[in-house]
Amino acid sequence: MSWQPLLDGVILSAGLIIAIGAQNAFVIRQGVSGQHLLPMALTCVSCDLLLISIGALGVGEFIAASASLRMGLV
């Protein structure tokens, strides 16, 4: 088993989560105000991981099922 795809996925996911956006601005604002820190952070992290995983797995399966997409992406 090659670890490269796993490492690529972790790096891509980290880049998506780390980028400053509306959600992260909200998390920072809540952190500064000190309101509901742990539940809010866990909710955001859980949702991000779930959505990224669904997207990555779904797109990979979709590409794997289509011979013309595989040929076009190579």
Side-chain angles (χ1 to χ4, degrees), residues 13-63:
S13 297
L16 293 172
I17 292 171
I18 292 170
I20 296 295
Q23 176 184 332
N24 290 337
F26 173 75
V27 171
I28 292 168
R29 186 177 39 228
Q30 291 296 105
V32 169
S33 69
Q35 298 175 350
H36 312 291
L37 300 179
L38 186 60
M40 185 258 324
L42 289 175
T43 301
C44 291
V45 168
S46 299
C47 290
D48 281 347
L49 289 175
L50 176 67
L51 292 171
I52 291 168
S53 297
I54 288 171
L57 294 172
V59 171
E61 288 296 320
F62 182 70
I63 292 171

Side-chain angles (χ1 to χ4, degrees), residues 60-71:
E61 288 296 320
F62 182 70
I63 292 171
S66 173
S68 59
L69 280 176
R70 281 188 306 219
M71 293 291 282

